[in-house]
Amino acid sequence: MGGFSFRQLIFALIVAILVWSSSIETCNARRGKHWRHSRGTFSSLYKKKGKNQGGIRGRNRNRNKNNHFQPLKNLWVRHRVVQNLMCSIMELKGMAFQAAWADACKVEASTMIVPSGYQFLVGPISFSGPYCQRNILFQLDGTIIAPTNSQAWGKGLLQWLEFTKLVGLSIKGKGTIDGRGSVWWTKSILDDPIDSEEKLRVPLVNVTVPEDPKVSSSLDEKMPSVKPTALRFYGNFNVTVTGITIQNSPQCHLKFDNCNGYTVLASHHLVTVPNTDGIHLQNSKNVLIHTADLACGDDCISIQTGCTNVYVHDVNCGPGHGISIGSLGKDGASACVSNITVRNVNMHNTMTGVRIKTWQGGSGSVQGVLFSNIQVSEVEFPIMIDQYYCDHSSCKNHTSNVALSNIAYENIRGTYTVKPVHVSCSDSTPCTDVKLTDIELKPMPKGYHMSGPFCWQAFGELYAPTIPEIDCLQVGKPSSSWDPDESGCAA
């Protein structure tokens, strides 16, 4: 009898330990200080894809036949994978994203899953990480879509989905982030600035410009004038974005600001609408972007002030406005960009190929840039430096400018439709050490007047024969060159 009681005691202890251990592994779905919900009226809803398009299964399945999305509530997952905490939204049957994130960020190397086969309607949200553990994986296999009503955006936001102050964050998967930006694009046809290089096109025949489309007042009332970025990273260290598709953003698709050490690969940005950048870099360093397909209405990649040690390779760009450094120096601002390498890029049907653009009146410098092995097809301006950039109808003349030095173009080949080379540098701050090597660009008529290479106040060297002949680049140094030490940028 006593032995039997002892076995019962041992069994009870084992059960108690298992129950206690299970409670530790469980995500509790409590909101903590690690999340922040941006302005908006809701956080997230989800929709199960499949034959039943009436919504999710359950007692409330047919409650609202016109609303396929049901609110997420308070259920979490209890899985443990090796020593990782895995928080799967599929198991939740309705927990809000920010509550899921609050639990995921408590455990190092945790995984938060957006499952395939599901569609989630998510309002503006910031996944804030000052107190989060390192190396969180955000596994995106399903679809996240943005709201299209004004109540969700308030008076306007700069971003929709934001990750801030995280270390070692990875976002990967085969899923999609869909900004559903068409409600902004119709309005933006009237008020978006025009890229300066569009003014250089001269049609072969007189073209009747259609009248601006009429935008109803109801549209003005629905959406704010500020168009958000789809996915923004701010103040992060060692971020990786892999495999996902970002599409239909109201404005910029993917933005990195004040980040150090991040990689973007096998990412797709698919949209052809006005003024929508693909990847936007600002105040960031040690950047690697490769194996990406970028199609947008503006720059495929835009590199702004404060960027250094940026390496872009094996990228497809088009349609869009090419890969650009700038614009820099607007409204007299100082800009510093250095050590930028762009190589092994294919561009098709873009306005510019590889471009540097600065405003008059700015200061600072761009130094150490290499554009190498660029294949262009039906590109209007394959090689472009424009130090007179202006996206208004007219701009004031200024003597100062962001200084450009040590800019190399090598092995740039393919076809152009307007002008092969356009290098227009500042009178007071000429471009120096511009190197052109193995340039072979052939005309392909496409409805515009075509002209030969143009250079202004550009000094440097030609290496190997070029097609067409580029005889406008001035060899050597200008009589009055600028001193890099006086640019205000760190060496």
Side-chain angles (χ1 to χ4, degrees), residues 253-273:
H253 284 73
L254 179 59
K255 180 179 291 186
F256 292 91
D257 196 353
N258 283 281
C259 294
N260 185 348
Y262 56 89
T263 301
V264 179
L265 63 154
S267 298
H268 303 267
H269 309 269
L270 310 173
V271 65
T272 53
V273 295

Side-chain angles (χ1 to χ4, degrees), residues 124-125 146 153 156-163 177-179 184 226-233 246-257 269 275-280:
I125 186 172
W153 301 102
L157 295 171
L158 297 177
Q159 58 274 326
W160 168 34
L161 306 175
E162 181 183 44
F163 290 85
I177 294 174
D178 189 341
W184 275 277
V226 177
K227 299 186 288 292
T229 290
L231 179 60
R232 180 189 185 230
F233 296 89
I246 307 175
Q247 65 187 27
N248 301 326
S249 176
Q251 192 162 28
C252 182
H253 284 73
L254 179 59
K255 180 179 291 186
F256 292 91
D257 196 353
H269 309 269
N275 202 28
T276 56
D277 284 343
I279 301 176
H280 183 96

Side-chain angles (χ1 to χ4, degrees), residues 147-184:
T148 57
N149 61 78
S150 60
Q151 289 78 15
W153 301 102
K155 295 182 179 179
L157 295 171
L158 297 177
Q159 58 274 326
W160 168 34
L161 306 175
E162 181 183 44
F163 290 85
T164 66
K165 300 180 181 179
L166 296 161
V167 177
L169 172 71
S170 294
I171 297 181
K172 70 176 186 178
K174 299 179 179 180
T176 299
I177 294 174
D178 189 341
R180 301 205 294 176
S182 60
V183 289
W184 275 277

Side-chain angles (χ1 to χ4, degrees), residues 1 25 55 67 86 116 128 144 201 213 218 236 240 282 287 292 299 317 349 351 387 396 399 462 468:
M1 187 72 178
E25 312 294 355
N67 183 3
M86 176 174 285
S116 62
S128 184
I144 300 175
R201 302 170 180 161
S218 61
N236 297 282
T240 301
Q282 184 169 324
V287 181
D299 296 327
C317 169
N349 194 28
M351 185 179 71
Q387 292 205 275
K396 293 182 179 180
T399 56
L462 287 174

Side-chain angles (χ1 to χ4, degrees), residues 328-343:
L328 305 173
K330 186 176 183 179
D331 298 326
S334 177
C336 298
V337 176
S338 63
N339 196 17
I340 309 297
T341 298
V342 177
R343 66 167 73 244

